[in-house]
Amino acid sequence: MVKHIILWQLKDELSDQQKSQIRSEIKKGLEDLAGRIDGLVEIHVQDKCLPSSNADLMLEVTLSDQKALEAYAVNPLHVRVKDSLIAPNVKSRVCIDYEV
């Protein structure tokens, strides 16, 4: 199994209301991928962070193996969410992938 963890910071120019809406849209868009991509075992987006956090969202994905991670990255369903919701609204991204 492979874990794929992403932390995002949303763009500073977004209002708190915009950030709240965008967080919800990203969560729904990504979590709706469950059961629709081969090798995707589990997907969860944490969009409710404590004030001590320096990230706005966390994605935690469990995939069956490295090949499933590579396929997930280019899957059109995933790319659609990335291109329409994430890329236009995110100022920074940190990723870690590891085997479990």
Side-chain angles (χ1 to χ4, degrees):
M1 301 275 251
V2 170
K3 285 284 193 179
H4 173 65
I5 311 255
I6 306 282
L7 296 173
W8 291 292
Q9 289 180 323
L10 297 176
K11 292 181 176 178
D12 294 330
E13 61 266 22
L14 297 168
S15 70
D16 288 344
Q17 183 179 3
Q18 288 172 312
K19 286 182 179 182
S20 179
Q21 181 178 348
I22 290 163
R23 283 193 302 267
S24 294
E25 290 172 358
I26 290 172
K27 178 179 178 69
K28 179 173 180 4
L30 288 171
E31 290 183 352
D32 281 353
L33 299 176
R36 300 176 67 198
I37 297 178
D38 289 340
L40 177 61
V41 176
E42 186 175 44
I43 187 165
H44 176 72
V45 175
Q46 179 55 262
D47 64 339
K48 306 282 191 261
C49 302
L50 295 174
S52 57
S53 301
N54 62 7
D56 295 299
L57 289 149
M58 181 196 74
L59 169 67
E60 182 178 5
V61 181
T62 305
L63 299 123
S64 57
D65 55 28
Q66 179 70 31
K67 287 188 186 247
L69 174 62
E70 293 165 7
Y72 166 81
V74 297
N75 182 286
L77 297 171
H78 168 253
V79 171
R80 187 176 308 127
V81 175
K82 181 186 74 158
D83 289 349
S84 66
L85 296 173
I86 298 168
N89 296 300
V90 166
K91 72 173 182 176
S92 71
R93 173 188 180 272
V94 176
C95 173
I96 185 168
D97 299 321
Y98 59 95
E99 290 185 356
V100 290

